mmCIF file of all heavy atoms in Angstrom:
data_model
loop_
_atom_site.group_PDB
_atom_site.id
_atom_site.type_symbol
_atom_site.label_atom_id
_atom_site.label_comp_id
_atom_site.label_asym_id
_atom_site.label_seq_id
_atom_site.Cartn_x
_atom_site.Cartn_y
_atom_site.Cartn_z
ATOM 1 N N SER A 1019 -19.559 -10.078 -24.197
ATOM 2 C CA SER A 1019 -19.720 -10.159 -22.749
ATOM 3 C C SER A 1019 -18.769 -9.171 -22.086
ATOM 4 O O SER A 1019 -17.677 -8.900 -22.589
ATOM 5 C CB SER A 1019 -19.449 -11.580 -22.263
ATOM 6 O OG SER A 1019 -18.182 -12.030 -22.700
ATOM 7 N N ILE A 1020 -19.194 -8.620 -20.953
ATOM 8 C CA ILE A 1020 -18.405 -7.550 -20.304
ATOM 9 C C ILE A 1020 -17.245 -8.119 -19.491
ATOM 10 O O ILE A 1020 -16.376 -7.373 -19.053
ATOM 11 C CB ILE A 1020 -19.307 -6.696 -19.397
ATOM 12 C CG1 ILE A 1020 -19.976 -7.566 -18.324
ATOM 13 C CG2 ILE A 1020 -20.331 -5.934 -20.222
ATOM 14 C CD1 ILE A 1020 -20.786 -6.767 -17.320
ATOM 15 N N GLN A 1021 -17.216 -9.449 -19.306
ATOM 16 C CA GLN A 1021 -16.102 -10.084 -18.614
ATOM 17 C C GLN A 1021 -15.759 -11.389 -19.295
ATOM 18 O O GLN A 1021 -16.579 -11.976 -19.999
ATOM 19 C CB GLN A 1021 -16.448 -10.350 -17.140
ATOM 20 C CG GLN A 1021 -16.592 -9.096 -16.294
ATOM 21 C CD GLN A 1021 -16.747 -9.429 -14.807
ATOM 22 O OE1 GLN A 1021 -16.233 -10.433 -14.337
ATOM 23 N NE2 GLN A 1021 -17.466 -8.579 -14.088
ATOM 24 N N THR A 1022 -14.505 -11.797 -19.080
ATOM 25 C CA THR A 1022 -14.090 -13.093 -19.602
ATOM 26 C C THR A 1022 -14.625 -14.204 -18.698
ATOM 27 O O THR A 1022 -15.059 -13.968 -17.579
ATOM 28 C CB THR A 1022 -12.563 -13.185 -19.681
ATOM 29 O OG1 THR A 1022 -12.007 -12.983 -18.376
ATOM 30 C CG2 THR A 1022 -11.996 -12.146 -20.633
ATOM 31 N N GLY A 1023 -14.578 -15.420 -19.191
ATOM 32 C CA GLY A 1023 -14.986 -16.570 -18.399
ATOM 33 C C GLY A 1023 -16.268 -17.191 -18.892
ATOM 34 O O GLY A 1023 -17.134 -16.526 -19.490
ATOM 35 N N SER A 1024 -16.389 -18.498 -18.634
ATOM 36 C CA SER A 1024 -17.540 -19.247 -19.135
ATOM 37 C C SER A 1024 -18.853 -18.783 -18.529
ATOM 38 O O SER A 1024 -19.922 -18.967 -19.133
ATOM 39 C CB SER A 1024 -17.342 -20.740 -18.854
ATOM 40 O OG SER A 1024 -17.170 -20.958 -17.447
ATOM 41 N N ASN A 1025 -18.812 -18.184 -17.356
ATOM 42 C CA ASN A 1025 -20.045 -17.708 -16.723
ATOM 43 C C ASN A 1025 -20.683 -16.549 -17.484
ATOM 44 O O ASN A 1025 -21.836 -16.199 -17.231
ATOM 45 C CB ASN A 1025 -19.783 -17.273 -15.289
ATOM 46 C CG ASN A 1025 -19.607 -18.463 -14.364
ATOM 47 O OD1 ASN A 1025 -19.984 -19.582 -14.714
ATOM 48 N ND2 ASN A 1025 -19.008 -18.237 -13.213
ATOM 49 N N TYR A 1026 -19.915 -15.917 -18.364
ATOM 50 C CA TYR A 1026 -20.449 -14.767 -19.098
ATOM 51 C C TYR A 1026 -20.770 -15.100 -20.556
ATOM 52 O O TYR A 1026 -20.821 -14.217 -21.398
ATOM 53 C CB TYR A 1026 -19.461 -13.597 -19.024
ATOM 54 C CG TYR A 1026 -19.560 -12.840 -17.709
ATOM 55 C CD1 TYR A 1026 -18.911 -13.297 -16.567
ATOM 56 C CD2 TYR A 1026 -20.341 -11.702 -17.614
ATOM 57 C CE1 TYR A 1026 -19.029 -12.629 -15.362
ATOM 58 C CE2 TYR A 1026 -20.465 -11.016 -16.415
ATOM 59 C CZ TYR A 1026 -19.800 -11.491 -15.288
ATOM 60 O OH TYR A 1026 -19.931 -10.814 -14.096
ATOM 61 N N GLY A 1027 -21.021 -16.372 -20.837
ATOM 62 C CA GLY A 1027 -21.476 -16.732 -22.173
ATOM 63 C C GLY A 1027 -22.936 -16.329 -22.387
ATOM 64 O O GLY A 1027 -23.679 -16.073 -21.434
ATOM 65 N N PHE A 1028 -23.365 -16.273 -23.639
ATOM 66 C CA PHE A 1028 -24.766 -15.920 -23.940
ATOM 67 C C PHE A 1028 -25.132 -16.433 -25.330
ATOM 68 O O PHE A 1028 -24.256 -16.765 -26.153
ATOM 69 C CB PHE A 1028 -24.973 -14.402 -23.866
ATOM 70 C CG PHE A 1028 -24.148 -13.609 -24.863
ATOM 71 C CD1 PHE A 1028 -24.652 -13.315 -26.135
ATOM 72 C CD2 PHE A 1028 -22.882 -13.159 -24.543
ATOM 73 C CE1 PHE A 1028 -23.902 -12.592 -27.056
ATOM 74 C CE2 PHE A 1028 -22.122 -12.431 -25.456
ATOM 75 C CZ PHE A 1028 -22.628 -12.147 -26.707
ATOM 76 N N GLN A 1029 -26.439 -16.501 -25.569
ATOM 77 C CA GLN A 1029 -26.981 -16.873 -26.879
ATOM 78 C C GLN A 1029 -27.893 -15.754 -27.373
ATOM 79 O O GLN A 1029 -28.590 -15.120 -26.563
ATOM 80 C CB GLN A 1029 -27.755 -18.182 -26.804
ATOM 81 C CG GLN A 1029 -26.894 -19.393 -26.489
ATOM 82 C CD GLN A 1029 -27.698 -20.677 -26.422
ATOM 83 O OE1 GLN A 1029 -28.931 -20.647 -26.412
ATOM 84 N NE2 GLN A 1029 -27.013 -21.807 -26.409
ATOM 85 N N VAL A 1030 -27.921 -15.552 -28.690
ATOM 86 C CA VAL A 1030 -28.748 -14.509 -29.291
ATOM 87 C C VAL A 1030 -29.720 -15.159 -30.284
ATOM 88 O O VAL A 1030 -29.314 -15.957 -31.141
ATOM 89 C CB VAL A 1030 -27.896 -13.461 -30.019
ATOM 90 C CG1 VAL A 1030 -28.790 -12.382 -30.629
ATOM 91 C CG2 VAL A 1030 -26.885 -12.832 -29.068
ATOM 92 N N THR A 1031 -30.986 -14.815 -30.138
ATOM 93 C CA THR A 1031 -32.014 -15.256 -31.089
ATOM 94 C C THR A 1031 -32.621 -14.023 -31.734
ATOM 95 O O THR A 1031 -33.019 -13.081 -31.046
ATOM 96 C CB THR A 1031 -33.109 -16.070 -30.378
ATOM 97 O OG1 THR A 1031 -32.510 -17.172 -29.700
ATOM 98 C CG2 THR A 1031 -34.127 -16.584 -31.381
ATOM 99 N N ASP A 1032 -32.676 -14.038 -33.088
ATOM 100 C CA ASP A 1032 -33.145 -12.870 -33.850
ATOM 101 C C ASP A 1032 -34.366 -13.288 -34.664
ATOM 102 O O ASP A 1032 -34.295 -14.195 -35.506
ATOM 103 C CB ASP A 1032 -31.996 -12.396 -34.747
ATOM 104 C CG ASP A 1032 -32.443 -11.455 -35.840
ATOM 105 O OD1 ASP A 1032 -33.446 -10.748 -35.634
ATOM 106 O OD2 ASP A 1032 -31.762 -11.428 -36.882
ATOM 107 N N THR A 1033 -35.489 -12.652 -34.406
ATOM 108 C CA THR A 1033 -36.715 -12.971 -35.155
ATOM 109 C C THR A 1033 -37.277 -11.706 -35.783
ATOM 110 O O THR A 1033 -37.095 -10.599 -35.260
ATOM 111 C CB THR A 1033 -37.783 -13.598 -34.238
ATOM 112 O OG1 THR A 1033 -38.108 -12.677 -33.197
ATOM 113 C CG2 THR A 1033 -37.280 -14.908 -33.645
ATOM 114 N N VAL A 1034 -37.993 -11.869 -36.901
ATOM 115 C CA VAL A 1034 -38.647 -10.759 -37.591
ATOM 116 C C VAL A 1034 -40.146 -10.987 -37.535
ATOM 117 O O VAL A 1034 -40.630 -12.076 -37.912
ATOM 118 C CB VAL A 1034 -38.187 -10.661 -39.056
ATOM 119 C CG1 VAL A 1034 -38.943 -9.540 -39.779
ATOM 120 C CG2 VAL A 1034 -36.696 -10.460 -39.135
ATOM 121 N N GLY A 1035 -40.867 -9.948 -37.070
ATOM 122 C CA GLY A 1035 -42.314 -10.089 -36.950
ATOM 123 C C GLY A 1035 -42.654 -11.233 -36.021
ATOM 124 O O GLY A 1035 -42.052 -11.436 -34.976
ATOM 125 N N GLY A 1036 -43.589 -12.059 -36.430
ATOM 126 C CA GLY A 1036 -43.965 -13.212 -35.613
ATOM 127 C C GLY A 1036 -43.290 -14.480 -36.069
ATOM 128 O O GLY A 1036 -43.555 -15.554 -35.544
ATOM 129 N N GLY A 1037 -42.437 -14.381 -37.094
ATOM 130 C CA GLY A 1037 -41.802 -15.572 -37.635
ATOM 131 C C GLY A 1037 -40.588 -16.001 -36.835
ATOM 132 O O GLY A 1037 -40.243 -15.435 -35.805
ATOM 133 N N SER A 1038 -39.933 -17.015 -37.365
ATOM 134 C CA SER A 1038 -38.761 -17.563 -36.693
ATOM 135 C C SER A 1038 -37.465 -17.128 -37.345
ATOM 136 O O SER A 1038 -36.398 -17.312 -36.783
ATOM 137 C CB SER A 1038 -38.829 -19.093 -36.670
ATOM 138 O OG SER A 1038 -38.904 -19.584 -38.011
ATOM 139 N N GLY A 1039 -37.523 -16.597 -38.524
ATOM 140 C CA GLY A 1039 -36.322 -16.188 -39.226
ATOM 141 C C GLY A 1039 -35.734 -14.903 -38.670
ATOM 142 O O GLY A 1039 -36.426 -14.096 -38.061
ATOM 143 N N GLY A 1040 -34.451 -14.695 -38.893
ATOM 144 C CA GLY A 1040 -33.771 -13.504 -38.413
ATOM 145 C C GLY A 1040 -33.250 -12.657 -39.532
ATOM 146 O O GLY A 1040 -33.228 -13.077 -40.694
ATOM 147 N N GLN A 1041 -32.845 -11.418 -39.208
ATOM 148 C CA GLN A 1041 -32.344 -10.493 -40.231
ATOM 149 C C GLN A 1041 -30.932 -9.996 -39.941
ATOM 150 O O GLN A 1041 -30.362 -9.251 -40.743
ATOM 151 C CB GLN A 1041 -33.286 -9.286 -40.341
ATOM 152 C CG GLN A 1041 -33.474 -8.506 -39.045
ATOM 153 C CD GLN A 1041 -34.488 -7.375 -39.170
ATOM 154 O OE1 GLN A 1041 -34.708 -6.843 -40.273
ATOM 155 N NE2 GLN A 1041 -35.133 -7.018 -38.057
ATOM 156 N N PHE A 1042 -30.343 -10.382 -38.763
ATOM 157 C CA PHE A 1042 -28.990 -9.901 -38.435
ATOM 158 C C PHE A 1042 -27.904 -10.909 -38.774
ATOM 159 O O PHE A 1042 -26.769 -10.537 -39.068
ATOM 160 C CB PHE A 1042 -28.890 -9.576 -36.932
ATOM 161 C CG PHE A 1042 -29.641 -8.330 -36.538
ATOM 162 C CD1 PHE A 1042 -30.929 -8.405 -36.058
ATOM 163 C CD2 PHE A 1042 -29.051 -7.078 -36.669
ATOM 164 C CE1 PHE A 1042 -31.628 -7.266 -35.696
ATOM 165 C CE2 PHE A 1042 -29.737 -5.935 -36.313
ATOM 166 C CZ PHE A 1042 -31.032 -6.025 -35.817
ATOM 167 N N GLY A 1043 -28.239 -12.188 -38.756
ATOM 168 C CA GLY A 1043 -27.245 -13.208 -39.059
ATOM 169 C C GLY A 1043 -26.064 -13.196 -38.097
ATOM 170 O O GLY A 1043 -24.900 -13.208 -38.539
ATOM 171 N N PHE A 1044 -26.336 -13.162 -36.788
ATOM 172 C CA PHE A 1044 -25.233 -13.087 -35.812
ATOM 173 C C PHE A 1044 -24.339 -14.316 -35.903
ATOM 174 O O PHE A 1044 -24.806 -15.452 -35.994
ATOM 175 C CB PHE A 1044 -25.789 -12.964 -34.391
ATOM 176 C CG PHE A 1044 -26.230 -11.568 -34.054
ATOM 177 C CD1 PHE A 1044 -27.576 -11.250 -33.967
ATOM 178 C CD2 PHE A 1044 -25.294 -10.559 -33.830
ATOM 179 C CE1 PHE A 1044 -27.989 -9.963 -33.668
ATOM 180 C CE2 PHE A 1044 -25.701 -9.274 -33.519
ATOM 181 C CZ PHE A 1044 -27.055 -8.967 -33.444
ATOM 182 N N GLN A 1045 -23.037 -14.063 -35.900
ATOM 183 C CA GLN A 1045 -22.040 -15.115 -35.985
ATOM 184 C C GLN A 1045 -21.102 -15.020 -34.783
ATOM 185 O O GLN A 1045 -20.695 -13.933 -34.381
ATOM 186 C CB GLN A 1045 -21.244 -14.989 -37.286
ATOM 187 C CG GLN A 1045 -20.164 -16.043 -37.446
ATOM 188 C CD GLN A 1045 -19.411 -15.884 -38.761
ATOM 189 O OE1 GLN A 1045 -19.870 -15.189 -39.674
ATOM 190 N NE2 GLN A 1045 -18.272 -16.537 -38.857
ATOM 191 N N VAL A 1046 -20.750 -16.162 -34.199
ATOM 192 C CA VAL A 1046 -19.872 -16.200 -33.025
ATOM 193 C C VAL A 1046 -18.418 -16.044 -33.458
ATOM 194 O O VAL A 1046 -17.912 -16.854 -34.256
ATOM 195 C CB VAL A 1046 -20.053 -17.514 -32.241
ATOM 196 C CG1 VAL A 1046 -19.077 -17.556 -31.055
ATOM 197 C CG2 VAL A 1046 -21.490 -17.658 -31.758
ATOM 198 N N LEU A 1047 -17.770 -15.030 -32.955
ATOM 199 C CA LEU A 1047 -16.335 -14.857 -33.215
ATOM 200 C C LEU A 1047 -15.488 -15.518 -32.140
ATOM 201 O O LEU A 1047 -14.400 -16.024 -32.415
ATOM 202 C CB LEU A 1047 -15.985 -13.369 -33.287
ATOM 203 C CG LEU A 1047 -16.522 -12.579 -34.470
ATOM 204 C CD1 LEU A 1047 -15.948 -11.163 -34.457
ATOM 205 C CD2 LEU A 1047 -16.190 -13.259 -35.791
ATOM 206 N N SER A 1048 -15.950 -15.474 -30.892
ATOM 207 C CA SER A 1048 -15.220 -16.138 -29.801
ATOM 208 C C SER A 1048 -16.217 -16.592 -28.752
ATOM 209 O O SER A 1048 -17.177 -15.896 -28.446
ATOM 210 C CB SER A 1048 -14.185 -15.203 -29.183
ATOM 211 O OG SER A 1048 -14.802 -14.082 -28.586
ATOM 212 N N ASN A 1049 -15.987 -17.793 -28.232
ATOM 213 C CA ASN A 1049 -16.832 -18.327 -27.180
ATOM 214 C C ASN A 1049 -16.286 -17.944 -25.806
ATOM 215 O O ASN A 1049 -15.064 -17.848 -25.606
ATOM 216 C CB ASN A 1049 -16.903 -19.856 -27.278
ATOM 217 C CG ASN A 1049 -17.710 -20.315 -28.472
ATOM 218 O OD1 ASN A 1049 -18.843 -19.870 -28.679
ATOM 219 N ND2 ASN A 1049 -17.134 -21.198 -29.272
ATOM 220 N N ALA A 1050 -17.181 -17.732 -24.861
ATOM 221 C CA ALA A 1050 -16.744 -17.445 -23.487
ATOM 222 C C ALA A 1050 -16.077 -18.682 -22.903
ATOM 223 O O ALA A 1050 -16.616 -19.791 -23.005
ATOM 224 C CB ALA A 1050 -17.938 -17.049 -22.632
ATOM 225 N N GLN A 1051 -14.904 -18.505 -22.357
ATOM 226 C CA GLN A 1051 -14.221 -19.644 -21.752
ATOM 227 C C GLN A 1051 -13.298 -19.188 -20.634
ATOM 228 O O GLN A 1051 -12.865 -18.036 -20.596
ATOM 229 C CB GLN A 1051 -13.419 -20.436 -22.796
ATOM 230 C CG GLN A 1051 -12.202 -19.700 -23.330
ATOM 231 C CD GLN A 1051 -11.426 -20.537 -24.364
ATOM 232 O OE1 GLN A 1051 -11.981 -21.425 -25.021
ATOM 233 N NE2 GLN A 1051 -10.148 -20.253 -24.496
ATOM 234 N N ASP A 1052 -13.033 -20.105 -19.718
ATOM 235 C CA ASP A 1052 -12.103 -19.840 -18.616
ATOM 236 C C ASP A 1052 -10.679 -20.109 -19.076
ATOM 237 O O ASP A 1052 -10.440 -20.880 -20.015
ATOM 238 C CB ASP A 1052 -12.403 -20.752 -17.428
ATOM 239 C CG ASP A 1052 -13.760 -20.456 -16.801
ATOM 240 O OD1 ASP A 1052 -14.207 -19.300 -16.903
ATOM 241 O OD2 ASP A 1052 -14.359 -21.376 -16.216
ATOM 242 N N ALA A 1053 -9.751 -19.453 -18.380
ATOM 243 C CA ALA A 1053 -8.341 -19.811 -18.566
ATOM 244 C C ALA A 1053 -8.106 -21.144 -17.878
ATOM 245 O O ALA A 1053 -8.763 -21.487 -16.886
ATOM 246 C CB ALA A 1053 -7.442 -18.731 -17.975
ATOM 247 N N GLU A 1054 -7.173 -21.892 -18.394
ATOM 248 C CA GLU A 1054 -6.917 -23.225 -17.854
ATOM 249 C C GLU A 1054 -5.418 -23.494 -17.850
ATOM 250 O O GLU A 1054 -4.730 -23.275 -18.861
ATOM 251 C CB GLU A 1054 -7.638 -24.264 -18.710
ATOM 252 C CG GLU A 1054 -7.544 -25.690 -18.191
ATOM 253 C CD GLU A 1054 -8.352 -26.649 -19.047
ATOM 254 O OE1 GLU A 1054 -9.582 -26.746 -18.834
ATOM 255 O OE2 GLU A 1054 -7.754 -27.259 -19.960
ATOM 256 N N ILE A 1055 -4.917 -23.927 -16.706
ATOM 257 C CA ILE A 1055 -3.521 -24.340 -16.624
ATOM 258 C C ILE A 1055 -3.455 -25.728 -16.002
ATOM 259 O O ILE A 1055 -4.282 -26.097 -15.167
ATOM 260 C CB ILE A 1055 -2.652 -23.366 -15.794
ATOM 261 C CG1 ILE A 1055 -3.148 -23.278 -14.341
ATOM 262 C CG2 ILE A 1055 -2.614 -21.987 -16.443
ATOM 263 C CD1 ILE A 1055 -2.255 -22.430 -13.451
ATOM 264 N N VAL A 1056 -2.489 -26.477 -16.460
ATOM 265 C CA VAL A 1056 -2.242 -27.806 -15.909
ATOM 266 C C VAL A 1056 -0.985 -27.696 -15.061
ATOM 267 O O VAL A 1056 0.073 -27.299 -15.540
ATOM 268 C CB VAL A 1056 -2.070 -28.865 -17.012
ATOM 269 C CG1 VAL A 1056 -1.800 -30.243 -16.402
ATOM 270 C CG2 VAL A 1056 -3.312 -28.907 -17.899
ATOM 271 N N LEU A 1057 -1.131 -28.035 -13.803
ATOM 272 C CA LEU A 1057 -0.070 -27.833 -12.819
ATOM 273 C C LEU A 1057 0.575 -29.152 -12.449
ATOM 274 O O LEU A 1057 -0.102 -30.100 -12.040
ATOM 275 C CB LEU A 1057 -0.661 -27.173 -11.568
ATOM 276 C CG LEU A 1057 0.215 -27.086 -10.320
ATOM 277 C CD1 LEU A 1057 1.391 -26.165 -10.570
ATOM 278 C CD2 LEU A 1057 -0.614 -26.591 -9.142
ATOM 279 N N GLY A 1058 1.899 -29.205 -12.602
ATOM 280 C CA GLY A 1058 2.657 -30.351 -12.116
ATOM 281 C C GLY A 1058 2.973 -30.167 -10.646
ATOM 282 O O GLY A 1058 3.020 -29.047 -10.132
ATOM 283 N N SER A 1059 3.160 -31.243 -9.913
ATOM 284 C CA SER A 1059 3.438 -31.159 -8.486
ATOM 285 C C SER A 1059 4.769 -30.464 -8.235
ATOM 286 O O SER A 1059 5.678 -30.499 -9.073
ATOM 287 C CB SER A 1059 3.479 -32.560 -7.870
ATOM 288 O OG SER A 1059 2.247 -33.208 -8.048
ATOM 289 N N PRO A 1060 4.949 -29.816 -7.065
ATOM 290 C CA PRO A 1060 6.239 -29.211 -6.722
ATOM 291 C C PRO A 1060 7.351 -30.235 -6.829
ATOM 292 O O PRO A 1060 7.209 -31.386 -6.407
ATOM 293 C CB PRO A 1060 6.030 -28.769 -5.265
ATOM 294 C CG PRO A 1060 4.552 -28.603 -5.127
ATOM 295 C CD PRO A 1060 3.955 -29.652 -6.017
ATOM 296 N N SER A 1061 8.435 -29.777 -7.434
ATOM 297 C CA SER A 1061 9.615 -30.613 -7.622
ATOM 298 C C SER A 1061 9.309 -31.878 -8.421
ATOM 299 O O SER A 1061 10.023 -32.876 -8.328
ATOM 300 C CB SER A 1061 10.238 -31.000 -6.269
ATOM 301 O OG SER A 1061 10.568 -29.847 -5.542
ATOM 302 N N GLY A 1062 8.180 -31.858 -9.152
ATOM 303 C CA GLY A 1062 7.852 -32.973 -10.029
ATOM 304 C C GLY A 1062 7.209 -34.156 -9.347
ATOM 305 O O GLY A 1062 7.050 -35.207 -9.955
ATOM 306 N N THR A 1063 6.832 -34.038 -8.058
ATOM 307 C CA THR A 1063 6.195 -35.149 -7.372
ATOM 308 C C THR A 1063 4.921 -34.686 -6.711
ATOM 309 O O THR A 1063 4.763 -33.526 -6.374
ATOM 310 C CB THR A 1063 7.121 -35.743 -6.291
ATOM 311 O OG1 THR A 1063 7.426 -34.731 -5.342
ATOM 312 C CG2 THR A 1063 8.412 -36.253 -6.904
ATOM 313 N N SER A 1064 3.998 -35.580 -6.512
ATOM 314 C CA SER A 1064 2.749 -35.261 -5.837
ATOM 315 C C SER A 1064 2.938 -35.374 -4.344
ATOM 316 O O SER A 1064 3.953 -35.857 -3.860
ATOM 317 C CB SER A 1064 1.643 -36.218 -6.293
ATOM 318 O OG SER A 1064 1.939 -37.520 -5.820
ATOM 319 N N SER A 1065 1.909 -34.958 -3.605
ATOM 320 C CA SER A 1065 1.989 -35.033 -2.153
ATOM 321 C C SER A 1065 2.074 -36.481 -1.679
ATOM 322 O O SER A 1065 2.566 -36.768 -0.595
ATOM 323 C CB SER A 1065 0.764 -34.341 -1.527
ATOM 324 O OG SER A 1065 -0.422 -34.944 -2.010
ATOM 325 N N SER A 1066 1.590 -37.410 -2.495
ATOM 326 C CA SER A 1066 1.652 -38.822 -2.112
ATOM 327 C C SER A 1066 2.978 -39.463 -2.478
ATOM 328 O O SER A 1066 3.231 -40.612 -2.143
ATOM 329 C CB SER A 1066 0.501 -39.582 -2.764
ATOM 330 O OG SER A 1066 0.633 -39.534 -4.175
ATOM 331 N N GLY A 1067 3.807 -38.693 -3.229
ATOM 332 C CA GLY A 1067 5.124 -39.214 -3.570
ATOM 333 C C GLY A 1067 5.208 -39.797 -4.959
ATOM 334 O O GLY A 1067 6.282 -40.095 -5.454
ATOM 335 N N SER A 1068 4.079 -39.984 -5.662
ATOM 336 C CA SER A 1068 4.121 -40.524 -7.015
ATOM 337 C C SER A 1068 4.404 -39.421 -7.999
ATOM 338 O O SER A 1068 3.969 -38.291 -7.821
ATOM 339 C CB SER A 1068 2.781 -41.192 -7.347
ATOM 340 O OG SER A 1068 1.738 -40.254 -7.275
ATOM 341 N N SER A 1069 5.150 -39.725 -9.047
ATOM 342 C CA SER A 1069 5.520 -38.728 -10.039
ATOM 343 C C SER A 1069 4.471 -38.661 -11.131
ATOM 344 O O SER A 1069 3.702 -39.593 -11.353
ATOM 345 C CB SER A 1069 6.892 -39.068 -10.634
ATOM 346 O OG SER A 1069 6.841 -40.333 -11.255
ATOM 347 N N GLY A 1070 4.465 -37.558 -11.839
ATOM 348 C CA GLY A 1070 3.581 -37.402 -12.977
ATOM 349 C C GLY A 1070 2.188 -36.953 -12.639
ATOM 350 O O GLY A 1070 1.350 -36.854 -13.540
ATOM 351 N N THR A 1071 1.868 -36.697 -11.383
ATOM 352 C CA THR A 1071 0.535 -36.242 -11.006
ATOM 353 C C THR A 1071 0.335 -34.803 -11.444
ATOM 354 O O THR A 1071 1.210 -33.962 -11.256
ATOM 355 C CB THR A 1071 0.344 -36.342 -9.482
ATOM 356 O OG1 THR A 1071 0.531 -37.694 -9.086
ATOM 357 C CG2 THR A 1071 -1.037 -35.878 -9.077
ATOM 358 N N THR A 1072 -0.820 -34.508 -12.027
ATOM 359 C CA THR A 1072 -1.123 -33.149 -12.459
ATOM 360 C C THR A 1072 -2.478 -32.722 -11.917
ATOM 361 O O THR A 1072 -3.331 -33.557 -11.594
ATOM 362 C CB THR A 1072 -1.141 -33.040 -13.996
ATOM 363 O OG1 THR A 1072 -2.143 -33.920 -14.518
ATOM 364 C CG2 THR A 1072 0.216 -33.392 -14.583
#
Side-chain angles (χ1 to χ4, degrees):
S1019 54
I1020 59 175
Q1021 292 188 30
T1022 59
S1024 58
N1025 285 343
Y1026 280 82
F1028 62 90
Q1029 294 180 349
V1030 180
T1031 304
D1032 164 28
T1033 60
V1034 177
S1038 59
Q1041 58 184 334
F1042 288 95
F1044 281 107
Q1045 179 179 344
V1046 177
L1047 292 186
S1048 63
N1049 289 309
Q1051 70 180 25
D1052 294 332
E1054 185 177 277
I1055 61 175
V1056 179
L1057 170 66
S1059 300
S1061 302
T1063 60
S1064 68
S1065 57
S1066 63
S1068 61
S1069 60
T1071 301
T1072 60

